Amino acid sequence: MAPKIQLKTSAYRVSPLVEVSDLAYTFRVESEYGSYRVQGVQQLEALLHELEVIETLAEVSQSEAFASSLSSSLASPVATTVGVAKRPVASVTGLPGGVVRYLGGKLYQVKRGSSKALETYRDYRNKDDKEEVREEPKEKKKLVSSAGKLSRKHLGHDSSKRRWARQLGVDPYSKNEVLQEALGRIAWASTLGGFAGDFAVPSSEVFSYAGKARELVWDRPAHQLEREIVDTLKDLKVEKELIHAFRDTPIYSLTEKMELCLGFKNLKESGDVAFLVDFALRAENDEDAELMIRTLEVLVSYSQRVAGIASIGERRGMLYACSNRGYDIYPLAVDYLHWTPLVYEALLSEELAADKREIWVSGQVSPIAKLQLREHGWIVYEQVDRYAVPSSAATAKR
């Protein structure tokens, strides 16, 4: 399942027993920094690399030079006020719940004639405005917030954090709380304390599939990335409220928003980018967000390697595209598609009936599932790598 990984290192231990639950591989990882339960090989590889990096930074933090630099940085009143590290809510993402709701037609159902995403956004903004007034005077809150952001920006903390993230090969906006704290500590030590580390860094190819997005995130400050996201969506003719909702949603990290935007740009010829943005905004948690990102990647892969996409829509709550060759393409981001009542009900439903239809699966498809799907008119492709499509699909005769 994951031939490139080691099951045990000084930083972690992966249980050799793997569950298949709701079409996903479930891995269990033990480490000094916590116990994890993750779904999917890609998430496993990302987590293991982050644990290796955390261990490396933990070793560095024991050095006398680092301790002295961190002590000097904490002497600054600004560093003390802002905090050593930004601590997002810790979470371990996984797909099973999202996939079950997705195939059941309950995850991304589109409301005809109205926008659920915009309604949610307006409610969120109204609630946020009320809480802002109730907590403290608006002028004071704005001043404190601006002071914190400006202090970190002008002192170089954020740019230093991005440089360290690039050197270590990790996402500066990762939702791994322990990694965020470690990056924050070394950023302050190098920014205000003058620390300059010289150490071996674990190599990783985890993020190579989204190399362009990672380069942008490493190179540019957050406010510039947000502006580029807004400008990109404007150029793609997305309405203002949807743009603001996408910019402000807490469901996706800044890196994930940039990856989605690059995907939207690749699919602009379909003319349905606004629909995709609205579709993405229906995600309610990390599982839904990861499912959306992986699903979009399969569509982009198809459009780049096989055929253009004429239109994008939804059927039975599932995302699909109509190719220039007249095929309905259904991307499915799962680890192991096997024949279950849920799969039967979803993929053999009348709503998905078509003379020419293909299913593109990011993981494996069981022999029985292949047989059943092919008998009912599906063309099946499996193990579709991120932004890479099996050569047989590109050369297949239609």
Side-chain angles (χ1 to χ4, degrees):
M1 295 177 183
K4 296 180 181 179
I5 73 163
Q6 291 181 267
L7 288 180
K8 186 176 181 180
T9 71
S10 58
Y12 61 79
R13 183 181 70 83
V14 182
S15 171
L17 298 178
V18 180
E19 303 171 29
V20 178
S21 176
D22 296 328
L23 312 183
Y25 296 139
T26 301
F27 300 93
R28 296 184 182 277
V29 181
E30 298 291 336
S31 77
E32 182 181 342
Y33 313 103
S35 298
Y36 301 85
R37 181 176 179 273
V38 294
Q39 278 76 38
V41 175
Q42 293 169 345
Q43 293 186 48
L44 174 67
E45 292 176 343
L47 171 65
L48 298 186
H49 178 62
E50 289 183 342
L51 291 174
E52 293 278 8
V53 168
I54 291 168
E55 184 182 57
T56 298
L57 291 177
E59 293 173 357
V60 171
S61 68
Q62 300 302 314
S63 69
E64 184 176 342
F66 180 90
S68 175
S69 299
L70 185 61
S71 177
S72 298
S73 71
L74 291 178
S76 166
V78 173
T80 303
T81 301
V82 176
V84 173
K86 186 177 181 180
R87 300 176 64 87
V89 177
S91 64
V92 179
T93 58
L95 292 180
V99 166
V100 169
R101 296 195 306 279
Y102 182 73
L103 287 176
K106 299 176 182 178
L107 180 59
Y108 292 119
Q109 284 186 337
V110 175
K111 285 187 176 182
R112 301 298 183 188
S114 64
S115 173
K116 177 182 176 183
L118 288 183
E119 290 171 9
T120 302
Y121 171 66
R122 294 188 186 105
D123 290 343
Y124 165 76
R125 295 301 299 174
N126 291 335
K127 179 181 177 182
D128 201 44
D129 291 342
K130 291 177 183 177
E131 289 179 350
E132 182 178 83
V133 173
R134 183 171 62 250
E135 287 176 359
E136 56 184 300
K138 185 175 181 180
E139 294 78 7
K140 180 180 179 182
K141 185 167 185 175
K142 184 176 180 180
L143 179 62
V144 172
S145 175
S146 299
K149 291 179 181 178
L150 287 173
S151 299
R152 284 161 47 117
K153 175 183 175 183
H154 291 295
L155 287 171
H157 170 277
D158 290 355
S159 60
S160 176
K161 182 180 176 182
R162 294 198 310 275
R163 286 197 300 272
W164 281 108
R166 165 176 253 157
Q167 183 176 344
L168 295 163
V170 293
D171 181 1
Y173 303 104
S174 167
K175 296 173 184 177
N176 187 321
E177 182 179 350
V178 180
L179 176 64
Q180 284 291 336
E181 182 171 357
L183 285 174
R185 286 169 64 85
I186 201 167
W188 277 123
S190 57
T191 301
L192 298 179
F195 176 76
D198 183 14
F199 52 88
V201 178
S203 62
S204 173
E205 298 179 356
V206 172
F207 298 123
S208 60
Y209 76 93
K212 185 175 181 181
R214 300 297 172 181
E215 287 295 328
L216 291 172
V217 168
W218 285 330
D219 282 341
R220 301 174 188 179
H223 67 88
Q224 185 175 345
L225 291 175
E226 289 179 351
R227 186 165 60 246
E228 290 184 15
I229 288 170
V230 170
D231 290 343
T232 297
L233 295 180
K234 284 182 179 178
D235 291 342
L236 294 172
K237 311 301 182 184
V238 178
E239 61 181 286
K240 183 178 179 181
E241 282 191 293
L242 268 181
I243 293 175
H244 291 170
F246 184 79
R247 180 197 63 193
D248 296 340
T249 178
I251 295 297
Y252 299 98
S253 72
L254 189 55
T255 305
E256 290 169 340
K257 291 175 185 177
M258 183 56 66
E259 290 179 29
L260 286 172
C261 270
L262 293 178
F264 297 153
K265 287 180 68 175
N266 276 280
L267 298 172
K268 64 181 179 180
E269 296 303 321
S270 70
D272 294 311
V273 172
F275 166 80
L276 286 172
V277 175
D278 184 88
F279 198 82
L281 285 171
R282 292 188 177 86
E284 297 180 355
N285 51 43
D286 290 341
E287 289 82 2
D288 296 352
E290 179 69 13
L291 179 60
M292 177 62 195
I293 292 168
R294 289 179 60 188
T295 301
L296 189 69
E297 285 165 357
V298 176
L299 278 184
V300 171
S301 180
Y302 180 92
S303 70
Q304 290 180 334
R305 304 301 177 92
V306 182
I309 291 178
S311 63
I312 297 173
E314 63 84 27
R315 285 184 185 145
R316 202 178 175 276
M318 296 174 61
L319 192 68
Y320 86 102
C322 184
S323 75
N324 290 338
R325 296 179 176 181
Y327 278 76
D328 288 350
I329 310 299
Y330 287 84
L332 194 54
V334 298
D335 294 323
Y336 187 62
L337 182 65
H338 53 109
W339 203 240
T340 67
L342 175 67
V343 174
Y344 172 89
E345 181 182 350
L347 300 183
L348 301 189
S349 64
E350 287 297 323
E351 294 97 317
L352 272 58
D355 293 334
K356 297 180 178 180
R357 58 182 182 177
E358 299 178 349
I359 185 167
W360 288 73
V361 183
S362 59
Q364 293 179 299
V365 182
S366 75
I368 294 177
K370 286 181 188 176
L371 178 64
Q372 292 287 350
L373 290 170
R374 287 170 178 167
E375 284 187 350
H376 288 84
W378 285 96
I379 298 175
V380 181
Y381 292 104
E382 63 178 329
Q383 294 182 310
V384 181
D385 295 328
R386 293 190 173 191
Y387 295 110
V389 174
S391 58
S392 59
T395 57
K397 293 182 179 180
R398 302 304 185 190

